[in-house]
Amino acid sequence: MSLVLPYTIAIGAIKQLTPVVLVALINSMTPQKAINNLKSLQTRSAMDHPQVKKLIDSKLEAASKSGRVSAFKAQIAADAGDFDVDTLAQLEKVTNEQVKRRGAIARPTALLVDKSGSMENAIATGLQLAPNVVIVRVGTHYNWVESQLKQQQAPVDTFTFAGDYYSLLNIVPLLTRPSRLDLLMEILDMPLPVRTDK
């Protein structure tokens, strides 16, 4: 049984931090842990050593391909540190790849955000652009927009979002699923069975 000491505990216990020790610590990290501790590694001059920086870059590259990495944690890491252009580009790549992994919005989509209470123009625009309307409720919400759309017989799906910044990515599959019209067209495109025993 092999036990791995968490980075935060190990870094507190080490008296002399050399590039060799940094390599050992980073090697034991998952790509997500490397992103989570990127600012700490930068503070401890890990980015100043070419071999250590190369190892960090490989962890970030692995993070862009991993299915177990939170997209927005990479963005938060980028915002938290004063990283070089290459590291920022890699963190942006991690975020983009993780968002793409959740799905691609293939149909006309309008994202309308309005807190002013005057949604008439937004509703009209949304009906022109999108065959299906998805309302994502955040915080205090009213059903006025939904009722206006239903009065106009527009297909409306509602979703109440009560999560945090990291779970925001879960909305992407909701936006990428086929509309009712797309499902109907797929059903109509299916060939009918033909009887051969006539």
Side-chain angles (χ1 to χ4, degrees), residues 37-71:
N37 295 300
L38 204 54
K39 174 71 175 158
S40 174
L41 291 168
Q42 181 189 34
T43 303
R44 288 166 174 79
S45 303
M47 307 284 200
D48 298 340
H49 303 283
Q51 292 171 328
V52 179
K53 173 75 166 95
K54 186 176 179 181
L55 180 59
I56 292 170
D57 290 344
S58 72
K59 290 288 183 176
L60 294 178
E61 182 62 32
S64 68
K65 297 173 183 162
S66 173
R68 299 181 55 102
V69 172
S70 171

Side-chain angles (χ1 to χ4, degrees), residues 10-198:
I11 203 73
I14 296 171
K15 293 187 187 224
Q16 187 176 7
L17 197 61
T18 64
V20 173
V21 173
L22 283 169
V23 166
L25 288 171
I26 296 166
N27 264 332
S28 69
M29 290 181 186
T30 64
Q32 182 67 68
K33 297 275 187 204
I35 290 171
N36 293 351
N37 295 300
L38 204 54
K39 174 71 175 158
S40 174
L41 291 168
Q42 181 189 34
T43 303
R44 288 166 174 79
S45 303
M47 307 284 200
D48 298 340
H49 303 283
Q51 292 171 328
V52 179
K53 173 75 166 95
K54 186 176 179 181
L55 180 59
I56 292 170
D57 290 344
S58 72
K59 290 288 183 176
L60 294 178
E61 182 62 32
S64 68
K65 297 173 183 162
S66 173
R68 299 181 55 102
V69 172
S70 171
F72 291 119
K73 283 196 177 183
Q75 186 61 48
I76 289 171
D79 295 341
D82 185 25
F83 301 114
D84 60 75
V85 176
D86 292 336
T87 303
L88 289 173
Q90 284 185 306
L91 289 169
E92 184 176 342
K93 180 182 176 188
V94 169
T95 301
N96 290 338
E97 292 299 319
Q98 293 301 323
V99 170
K100 285 179 193 174
R101 185 178 303 270
R102 303 294 264 176
I105 299 172
R107 63 179 187 235
T109 303
L111 180 60
L112 310 169
V113 179
D114 185 14
K115 290 194 65 134
S116 68
S118 59
M119 289 290 291
E120 288 86 7
N121 292 335
I123 291 171
T125 304
L127 287 173
Q128 290 174 356
L129 295 175
N132 190 38
V133 178
V134 177
I135 297 174
V136 180
R137 296 177 175 163
V138 180
T140 304
H141 54 273
Y142 303 98
N143 66 351
W144 185 85
V145 174
E146 183 179 358
S147 64
Q148 292 296 310
L149 288 167
K150 286 182 178 177
Q151 281 180 2
Q152 296 181 23
Q153 298 179 343
V156 178
D157 293 322
T158 57
F159 176 74
T160 302
F161 179 75
D164 59 7
Y165 184 72
Y166 299 116
S167 60
L168 189 60
L169 197 58
N170 295 330
I171 292 175
V172 174
L174 179 73
L175 297 174
T176 60
R177 71 180 186 193
S179 69
R180 291 180 184 121
L181 177 62
D182 294 334
L183 292 173
L184 176 64
M185 295 308 291
E186 185 178 331
I187 291 169
L188 291 175
D189 285 343
M190 289 288 287
L192 293 173
V194 178
R195 290 182 63 171
T196 58
D197 62 338
K198 287 188 177 181

